[in-house]
Coordinates of all heavy atoms in Angstrom, one line a residue:
D1 N 19.6 1.8 -0.8 CA 19.5 0.4 -0.8 C 18.3 0.0 0.1 O 18.2 0.4 1.2 CB 20.8 -0.2 -0.2 CG 20.8 -1.7 0.1 OD1 20.9 -2.4 -0.9 OD2 20.6 -2.0 1.2
V2 N 17.4 -0.8 -0.5 CA 16.2 -1.2 0.1 C 16.4 -1.9 1.5 O 15.8 -1.6 2.5 CB 15.3 -2.1 -0.8 CG1 14.1 -2.6 -0.1 CG2 14.9 -1.3 -2.0
C3 N 17.3 -2.9 1.5 CA 17.5 -3.7 2.7 C 17.9 -2.8 3.9 O 17.4 -3.0 5.0 CB 18.5 -4.8 2.4 SG 17.9 -6.1 1.4
S4 N 18.9 -1.9 3.6 CA 19.3 -1.1 4.8 C 18.3 -0.1 5.3 O 18.2 0.1 6.5 CB 20.6 -0.4 4.4 OG 20.4 0.6 3.4
S5 N 17.5 0.4 4.4 CA 16.4 1.3 4.8 C 15.3 0.6 5.5 O 14.8 1.1 6.5 CB 15.9 2.2 3.7 OG 15.2 1.3 2.7
D6 N 15.0 -0.7 5.1 CA 14.1 -1.5 5.8 C 14.6 -1.9 7.2 O 13.8 -1.9 8.1 CB 13.7 -2.7 5.0 CG 12.9 -2.4 3.8 OD1 12.4 -1.3 3.7 OD2 12.8 -3.3 2.9
L7 N 15.9 -2.2 7.2 CA 16.5 -2.6 8.5 C 16.4 -1.4 9.5 O 16.0 -1.5 10.6 CB 17.9 -3.0 8.3 CG 18.7 -3.3 9.6 CD1 18.1 -4.5 10.3 CD2 20.2 -3.6 9.2
E8 N 16.7 -0.2 9.0 CA 16.6 1.0 9.8 C 15.2 1.2 10.3 O 15.0 1.5 11.5 CB 17.1 2.2 9.0 CG 17.0 3.5 9.7 CD 17.3 4.7 8.8 OE1 18.2 4.6 8.0 OE2 16.7 5.8 9.0
A9 N 14.2 1.1 9.4 CA 12.8 1.2 9.8 C 12.4 0.2 10.9 O 11.7 0.4 11.8 CB 11.9 1.2 8.6
G10 N 12.9 -1.1 10.7 CA 12.6 -2.1 11.6 C 13.2 -1.8 13.0 O 12.6 -2.1 14.0
V11 N 14.4 -1.2 13.0 CA 15.0 -0.9 14.3 C 14.2 0.3 14.9 O 13.9 0.3 16.1 CB 16.5 -0.5 14.1 CG1 17.1 0.1 15.4 CG2 17.3 -1.8 13.7
N12 N 13.9 1.3 14.1 CA 13.3 2.5 14.7 C 11.8 2.3 15.0 O 11.4 2.9 16.0 CB 13.4 3.7 13.7 CG 14.8 4.2 13.5 OD1 15.7 4.0 14.4 ND2 15.1 4.8 12.4
F13 N 11.1 1.6 14.2 CA 9.7 1.4 14.5 C 9.3 0.1 15.2 O 8.3 -0.1 15.8 CB 8.9 1.4 13.2 CG 9.0 2.6 12.3 CD1 9.1 2.5 10.9 CD2 9.2 3.9 12.9 CE1 9.2 3.7 10.2 CE2 9.3 5.0 12.1 CZ 9.3 4.9 10.7
G14 N 10.2 -0.9 15.1 CA 10.0 -2.2 15.6 C 9.6 -3.1 14.4 O 8.9 -2.7 13.5
V15 N 9.9 -4.4 14.5 CA 9.6 -5.3 13.4 C 8.2 -5.5 13.2 O 7.8 -5.7 12.0 CB 10.4 -6.6 13.6 CG1 11.9 -6.4 13.5 CG2 10.1 -7.3 14.9
V16 N 7.4 -5.5 14.2 CA 5.9 -5.7 14.0 C 5.3 -4.6 13.2 O 4.5 -4.8 12.3 CB 5.2 -6.0 15.3 CG1 3.7 -6.0 15.2 CG2 5.7 -7.3 16.0
T17 N 5.7 -3.4 13.6 CA 5.2 -2.2 12.9 C 5.6 -2.2 11.4 O 4.9 -1.9 10.5 CB 5.6 -0.9 13.6 OG1 5.1 -0.9 14.9 CG2 5.2 0.4 12.8
L18 N 6.9 -2.5 11.2 CA 7.4 -2.6 9.8 C 6.7 -3.7 9.1 O 6.3 -3.5 7.9 CB 8.9 -2.9 9.8 CG 9.5 -3.0 8.4 CD1 9.4 -1.7 7.7 CD2 11.0 -3.4 8.5
A19 N 6.4 -4.8 9.7 CA 5.6 -5.9 9.0 C 4.2 -5.4 8.7 O 3.8 -5.6 7.6 CB 5.5 -7.1 9.9
K20 N 3.6 -4.7 9.6 CA 2.3 -4.1 9.3 C 2.3 -3.1 8.1 O 1.4 -3.1 7.3 CB 1.7 -3.5 10.5 CG 1.2 -4.4 11.6 CD 0.7 -3.7 12.8 CE 0.2 -4.7 13.9 NZ -0.4 -4.0 15.0
M21 N 3.3 -2.3 8.1 CA 3.5 -1.4 7.0 C 3.6 -2.1 5.7 O 3.0 -1.8 4.7 CB 4.7 -0.4 7.3 CG 4.5 0.5 8.4 SD 6.0 1.3 9.0 CE 6.6 2.2 7.6
A22 N 4.5 -3.1 5.7 CA 4.7 -3.9 4.4 C 3.4 -4.6 4.0 O 3.1 -4.6 2.8 CB 5.8 -5.0 4.7
Q23 N 2.6 -5.1 5.0 CA 1.3 -5.7 4.6 C 0.3 -4.7 4.1 O -0.4 -5.0 3.1 CB 0.7 -6.4 5.9 CG 1.5 -7.6 6.3 CD 1.1 -8.1 7.6 OE1 0.9 -7.4 8.6 NE2 1.0 -9.5 7.7
R24 N 0.3 -3.5 4.6 CA -0.5 -2.4 4.1 C -0.2 -2.1 2.6 O -1.0 -2.0 1.8 CB -0.5 -1.2 4.9 CG -1.2 -1.3 6.2 CD -1.1 -0.1 7.1 NE -1.4 -0.4 8.5 CZ -0.6 -0.1 9.5 NH1 0.5 0.7 9.3 NH2 -0.9 -0.4 10.7
V25 N 1.1 -2.0 2.4 CA 1.6 -1.8 1.0 C 1.1 -2.9 0.1 O 0.7 -2.6 -1.1 CB 3.1 -1.6 1.0 CG1 3.7 -1.6 -0.5 CG2 3.6 -0.3 1.7
A26 N 1.2 -4.1 0.5 CA 0.9 -5.3 -0.3 C -0.7 -5.5 -0.3 O -1.1 -6.5 -1.0 CB 1.6 -6.5 0.2
D27 N -1.4 -4.7 0.4 CA -2.9 -4.8 0.5 C -3.4 -6.2 1.0 O -4.2 -6.8 0.4 CB -3.5 -4.5 -0.9 CG -4.9 -4.2 -0.8 OD1 -5.4 -3.6 0.3 OD2 -5.7 -4.4 -1.8
V28 N -2.7 -6.6 2.1 CA -3.2 -7.8 2.9 C -3.5 -7.4 4.3 O -3.1 -6.3 4.7 CB -2.2 -9.0 2.8 CG1 -2.0 -9.5 1.4 CG2 -0.8 -8.6 3.4
K29 N -4.1 -8.3 5.0 CA -4.4 -8.0 6.4 C -3.2 -7.6 7.2 O -2.2 -8.3 7.2 CB -5.1 -9.2 7.1 CG -5.5 -9.0 8.5 CD -6.1 -10.2 9.1 CE -6.4 -10.0 10.6 NZ -7.0 -11.2 11.2
D30 N -3.2 -6.5 7.9 CA -2.0 -6.0 8.6 C -2.0 -6.4 10.0 O -2.3 -5.6 10.9 CB -1.9 -4.5 8.4 CG -3.0 -3.7 9.0 OD1 -4.1 -4.3 9.2 OD2 -2.8 -2.5 9.3
D31 N -1.7 -7.7 10.2 CA -1.6 -8.2 11.6 C -0.2 -8.3 12.2 O 0.0 -8.6 13.3 CB -2.3 -9.6 11.6 CG -1.6 -10.6 10.7 OD1 -0.5 -10.3 10.1 OD2 -2.1 -11.7 10.6
G32 N 0.8 -7.9 11.4 CA 2.1 -7.9 11.8 C 2.8 -9.2 11.8 O 4.0 -9.3 12.2
I33 N 2.2 -10.2 11.3 CA 2.7 -11.5 11.1 C 2.9 -11.8 9.6 O 1.9 -11.9 8.9 CB 1.9 -12.6 11.8 CG1 1.7 -12.3 13.3 CG2 2.5 -14.0 11.5 CD1 0.6 -13.1 13.9
I34 N 4.2 -11.9 9.2 CA 4.4 -12.1 7.8 C 4.4 -13.6 7.5 O 5.3 -14.4 7.8 CB 5.8 -11.6 7.4 CG1 5.9 -10.1 7.6 CG2 6.1 -11.9 5.9 CD1 5.0 -9.2 6.7
G35 N 3.2 -14.0 7.0 CA 3.0 -15.4 6.7 C 3.0 -15.6 5.2 O 3.4 -14.8 4.4
A36 N 2.5 -16.8 4.8 CA 2.5 -17.1 3.4 C 1.7 -16.1 2.5 O 2.2 -15.8 1.5 CB 1.9 -18.5 3.2
K37 N 0.5 -15.7 3.0 CA -0.3 -14.8 2.2 C 0.5 -13.4 2.0 O 0.5 -12.9 0.9 CB -1.6 -14.5 2.8 CG -2.6 -15.7 2.8 CD -3.9 -15.4 3.4 CE -4.8 -16.6 3.4 NZ -6.1 -16.4 4.0
S38 N 1.1 -13.0 3.1 CA 1.9 -11.7 3.0 C 3.0 -11.9 2.0 O 3.3 -11.0 1.2 CB 2.4 -11.3 4.4 OG 1.3 -11.0 5.2
I39 N 3.8 -13.0 2.1 CA 4.9 -13.2 1.3 C 4.5 -13.3 -0.2 O 5.2 -12.7 -1.0 CB 5.7 -14.5 1.7 CG1 6.3 -14.2 3.1 CG2 6.7 -14.9 0.7 CD1 6.9 -15.4 3.8
I40 N 3.4 -14.0 -0.5 CA 3.0 -14.1 -1.8 C 2.6 -12.7 -2.4 O 3.0 -12.4 -3.5 CB 1.8 -15.1 -1.9 CG1 2.3 -16.5 -1.7 CG2 1.1 -15.0 -3.3 CD1 1.2 -17.5 -1.5
A41 N 1.8 -12.0 -1.6 CA 1.4 -10.6 -2.0 C 2.6 -9.7 -2.3 O 2.6 -9.0 -3.3 CB 0.4 -10.0 -1.0
I42 N 3.5 -9.7 -1.4 CA 4.7 -8.9 -1.5 C 5.5 -9.3 -2.7 O 6.0 -8.5 -3.5 CB 5.6 -8.9 -0.2 CG1 4.8 -8.2 0.9 CG2 6.9 -8.3 -0.5 CD1 5.4 -8.4 2.3
N43 N 5.7 -10.6 -2.9 CA 6.5 -11.1 -4.0 C 5.8 -10.8 -5.4 O 6.5 -10.8 -6.4 CB 6.8 -12.6 -3.9 CG 7.9 -12.9 -2.9 OD1 8.7 -12.0 -2.5 ND2 7.9 -14.1 -2.3
M44 N 4.5 -10.7 -5.4 CA 3.8 -10.4 -6.6 C 4.0 -8.9 -7.1 O 3.7 -8.6 -8.2 CB 2.3 -10.7 -6.5 CG 2.1 -12.2 -6.5 SD 0.3 -12.7 -6.3 CE -0.4 -11.8 -7.7
M45 N 4.4 -8.1 -6.1 CA 4.5 -6.6 -6.4 C 5.9 -6.4 -7.1 O 6.8 -7.1 -7.0 CB 4.5 -5.8 -5.1 CG 3.2 -5.8 -4.4 SD 3.2 -4.7 -3.0 CE 3.2 -3.1 -3.9
D46 N 5.9 -5.3 -7.9 CA 7.1 -4.8 -8.5 C 8.0 -4.4 -7.4 O 7.6 -3.7 -6.5 CB 6.8 -3.7 -9.5 CG 8.0 -3.1 -10.1 OD1 8.6 -3.7 -11.0 OD2 8.5 -2.1 -9.5
D47 N 9.3 -4.8 -7.4 CA 10.2 -4.5 -6.3 C 10.3 -3.0 -6.1 O 10.3 -2.5 -5.0 CB 11.6 -5.0 -6.6 CG 11.7 -6.5 -6.6 OD1 10.7 -7.2 -6.1 OD2 12.7 -7.1 -7.1
T48 N 10.4 -2.2 -7.2 CA 10.6 -0.8 -7.1 C 9.3 -0.1 -6.5 O 9.4 0.8 -5.6 CB 10.9 -0.1 -8.4 OG1 12.1 -0.8 -9.0 CG2 11.1 1.3 -8.3
V49 N 8.2 -0.5 -6.9 CA 6.9 0.0 -6.4 C 6.8 -0.3 -4.9 O 6.4 0.6 -4.1 CB 5.7 -0.6 -7.2 CG1 4.4 -0.2 -6.5 CG2 5.8 -0.1 -8.6
F50 N 7.1 -1.6 -4.5 CA 7.0 -1.9 -3.1 C 7.9 -1.1 -2.3 O 7.5 -0.6 -1.3 CB 7.3 -3.4 -3.0 CG 7.3 -3.9 -1.5 CD1 6.1 -4.1 -0.9 CD2 8.5 -4.1 -0.9 CE1 6.1 -4.5 0.5 CE2 8.5 -4.5 0.5 CZ 7.3 -4.7 1.1
A51 N 9.2 -1.0 -2.7 CA 10.2 -0.3 -1.9 C 9.8 1.2 -1.8 O 10.0 1.7 -0.7 CB 11.6 -0.5 -2.6
L52 N 9.4 1.8 -2.9 CA 9.0 3.2 -2.8 C 7.8 3.4 -1.9 O 7.8 4.3 -1.1 CB 8.7 3.7 -4.2 CG 8.3 5.2 -4.3 CD1 9.5 6.1 -3.7 CD2 8.1 5.6 -5.8
A53 N 6.8 2.6 -2.0 CA 5.6 2.7 -1.2 C 5.9 2.5 0.3 O 5.5 3.3 1.1 CB 4.5 1.7 -1.6
L54 N 6.8 1.6 0.6 CA 7.2 1.3 2.0 C 8.0 2.5 2.5 O 7.8 3.0 3.6 CB 8.0 0.0 2.1 CG 8.3 -0.5 3.5 CD1 7.0 -0.7 4.2 CD2 9.1 -1.7 3.4
K55 N 8.9 3.1 1.7 CA 9.7 4.2 2.1 C 8.8 5.4 2.3 O 9.0 6.1 3.3 CB 10.7 4.5 1.0 CG 11.8 5.5 1.4 CD 12.9 5.6 0.4 CE 13.6 4.3 0.1 NZ 14.6 3.9 1.1
L56 N 7.8 5.7 1.4 CA 6.9 6.8 1.6 C 6.1 6.6 2.9 O 5.8 7.6 3.6 CB 6.0 6.9 0.4 CG 6.6 7.5 -0.8 CD1 5.7 7.4 -2.0 CD2 7.2 8.9 -0.6
M57 N 5.7 5.4 3.2 CA 4.9 5.1 4.4 C 5.8 5.4 5.7 O 5.4 6.0 6.7 CB 4.5 3.7 4.5 CG 3.4 3.4 5.5 SD 2.7 1.8 5.4 CE 1.5 2.0 4.1
A58 N 7.1 5.0 5.6 CA 8.0 5.3 6.7 C 8.2 6.8 6.8 O 8.3 7.3 8.0 CB 9.4 4.6 6.4
V59 N 8.4 7.5 5.8 CA 8.6 9.0 5.8 C 7.3 9.6 6.5 O 7.5 10.5 7.4 CB 8.8 9.6 4.4 CG1 8.7 11.1 4.4 CG2 10.2 9.2 3.9
D60 N 6.2 9.2 6.1 CA 4.9 9.7 6.7 C 4.9 9.4 8.2 O 4.5 10.3 9.0 CB 3.7 9.1 6.0 CG 2.4 9.6 6.6 OD1 2.2 10.9 6.5 OD2 1.6 8.8 7.1
R61 N 5.3 8.2 8.6 CA 5.4 7.9 10.0 C 6.4 8.7 10.8 O 6.1 9.2 11.9 CB 5.7 6.4 10.2 CG 5.7 5.9 11.7 CD 5.7 4.4 11.8 NE 5.8 4.0 13.1 CZ 4.7 3.9 13.9 NH1 3.5 4.1 13.5 NH2 4.9 3.5 15.2
Y62 N 7.6 8.9 10.2 CA 8.5 9.8 10.8 C 8.0 11.3 11.0 O 8.1 11.9 12.0 CB 9.8 9.9 10.0 CG 10.8 8.7 10.2 CD1 11.1 8.0 9.1 CD2 11.3 8.4 11.4 CE1 12.0 6.9 9.2 CE2 12.2 7.3 11.6 CZ 12.5 6.6 10.5 OH 13.4 5.5 10.6
R63 N 7.3 11.7 10.0 CA 6.7 13.1 10.0 C 5.7 13.2 11.1 O 5.6 14.2 11.8 CB 6.0 13.4 8.6 CG 5.5 14.8 8.5 CD 4.9 15.1 7.2 NE 5.9 15.0 6.1 CZ 5.8 14.3 5.0 NH1 4.7 13.6 4.7 NH2 6.8 14.2 4.1
R64 N 4.8 12.2 11.3 CA 3.8 12.2 12.3 C 4.5 12.1 13.7 O 4.0 12.8 14.6 CB 2.8 11.0 12.2 CG 1.8 11.3 11.0 CD 0.8 10.2 10.9 NE 1.4 9.1 10.2 CZ 1.3 7.8 10.7 NH1 0.6 7.5 11.7 NH2 1.9 6.8 10.0
I65 N 5.5 11.4 13.8 CA 6.3 11.3 15.1 C 6.8 12.7 15.5 O 6.7 13.2 16.6 CB 7.4 10.3 15.1 CG1 6.8 8.9 15.1 CG2 8.3 10.4 16.2 CD1 7.7 7.8 14.7
C66 N 7.4 13.3 14.5 CA 8.0 14.7 14.7 C 6.9 15.7 15.1 O 7.2 16.5 16.0 CB 8.8 15.2 13.5 SG 10.3 14.2 13.1
R67 N 5.8 15.6 14.4 CA 4.7 16.6 14.7 C 4.2 16.3 16.1 O 3.9 17.3 16.9 CB 3.6 16.4 13.7 CG 3.9 17.1 12.4 CD 2.7 17.0 11.5 NE 3.1 17.6 10.2 CZ 2.5 17.3 9.1 NH1 1.6 16.4 9.0 NH2 2.9 17.8 7.9
S68 N 4.1 15.1 16.6 CA 3.6 14.8 17.9 C 4.6 15.3 19.0 O 4.2 15.8 20.0 CB 3.3 13.4 18.1 OG 4.4 12.6 18.1
E69 N 5.9 15.2 18.7 CA 6.9 15.7 19.6 C 6.9 17.2 19.7 O 7.2 17.7 20.7 CB 8.3 15.1 19.2 CG 8.5 13.7 19.5 CD 9.8 13.1 19.0 OE1 10.6 13.9 18.5 OE2 10.0 11.9 19.2
E70 N 6.6 17.9 18.6 CA 6.5 19.3 18.6 C 5.5 19.8 19.6 O 5.6 20.8 20.2 CB 6.3 19.9 17.2 CG 7.4 19.8 16.3 CD 7.0 20.2 14.8 OE1 5.9 20.6 14.6 OE2 7.9 20.1 14.0
H71 N 4.4 19.1 19.6 CA 3.2 19.4 20.4 C 3.4 19.1 21.9 O 2.8 19.7 22.8 CB 1.9 18.8 19.9 CG 1.5 19.3 18.6 ND1 1.1 20.5 18.3 CD2 1.5 18.6 17.4 CE1 0.8 20.7 17.1 NE2 1.0 19.5 16.5
T72 N 4.4 18.2 22.2 CA 4.6 17.8 23.6 C 5.8 18.5 24.2 O 6.0 18.4 25.4 CB 4.8 16.3 23.7 OG1 5.9 15.9 22.9 CG2 3.6 15.5 23.3
S73 N 6.6 19.2 23.4 CA 7.8 19.8 24.0 C 7.5 21.3 24.2 O 6.6 21.9 24.0 CB 9.0 19.6 23.1 OG 8.8 20.1 21.8

C-alpha cells in the first residue's frame, strides 16, 4: 500500500527528506516544501509510476545508509 510505505519513509527519513524525494521523482525543484507546483507535477504523474519511483528511491537511500553503517562499525 503506497500510503503506508510513504508514511514509513516519512517517519524513517523525516518529512522534509520524503518531500524532496517526491519532488525529485516529479522532476521539480527539491526544496522539501510541497507547494502548488509540486502537487501539480505529482498529480500529473501516473500513480503507479510515481509510487514505484519513490519506493526505488527509498530502497536506494536505505541501501546507502546500511553501507555507511558497515564502514563505521
Side-chain angles (χ1 to χ4, degrees):
D1 171 80
V2 174
C3 290
S4 64
S5 65
D6 290 346
L7 177 62
E8 178 185 324
V11 170
N12 290 336
F13 302 144
V15 293
V16 173
T17 298
L18 180 60
K20 288 180 179 183
M21 291 166 58
Q23 290 170 319
R24 288 181 199 127
V25 169
D27 198 29
V28 294
K29 182 179 177 185
D30 61 341
D31 59 5
I33 301 168
I34 300 292
K37 290 180 183 178
S38 298
I39 292 170
I40 290 167
I42 291 167
N43 285 337
M44 289 179 57
M45 294 186 68
D46 177 81
D47 292 347
T48 303
V49 171
F50 176 78
L52 181 58
L54 191 59
K55 193 171 299 284
L56 289 172
M57 194 173 280
V59 167
D60 182 59
R61 184 168 175 84
Y62 282 122
R63 185 178 297 130
R64 285 184 282 132
I65 290 169
C66 291
R67 285 184 181 152
S68 69
E69 288 177 1
E70 287 175 2
H71 295 294
T72 59
S73 53

